[in-house]
Amino acid sequence: MDKDFLEKSKWKNQNKQYLSKLQKFLDYADNIKDENLRTLIISQMLKCDKCVTNIAEDIFKELINKKLKMEDK
């Protein structure tokens, strides 16, 4: 249930606040004249985003597992 559940829920990509902040970041990045610098900055931000996403999903999994264990008792 865990990985498939998280992928199907699309929890992050349906979050309006997240999407708004991401769009604002990309709009700002578009104004960077140096294409190499712009690419590096966007790439690094996406790596950070992936890291935070993985941390959040691990927390979700842990909470789901704790809830399931409590229901079994």
Side-chain angles (χ1 to χ4, degrees):
M1 170 168 100
D2 48 300
K3 188 173 183 181
D4 291 338
F5 170 77
L6 292 171
E7 287 178 8
K8 290 177 183 175
S9 69
K10 299 178 185 168
W11 62 273
K12 182 174 74 171
N13 296 327
Q14 293 178 351
N15 184 294
K16 290 179 183 181
Q17 183 180 9
Y18 169 78
L19 293 174
S20 173
K21 300 295 183 187
L22 178 61
Q23 185 60 55
K24 193 167 197 158
F25 170 81
L26 293 172
D27 290 344
Y28 288 146
D30 280 344
N31 291 319
I32 299 171
K33 303 268 188 248
D34 183 331
E35 187 174 339
N36 189 38
L37 178 60
R38 179 177 53 244
T39 301
L40 287 171
I41 290 172
I42 291 172
S43 176
Q44 187 60 41
M45 189 282 299
L46 292 173
K47 289 175 186 176
C48 292
D49 182 67
K50 176 77 171 143
C51 181
V52 170
T53 299
N54 289 340
I55 292 168
E57 288 178 351
D58 287 344
I59 292 169
F60 292 160
K61 289 177 195 176
E62 187 177 318
L63 292 172
I64 290 168
N65 287 336
K66 284 182 180 179
K67 183 180 180 195
L68 292 173
K69 286 179 184 177
M70 290 179 68
E71 289 174 356
D72 287 343
K73 290 183 179 181

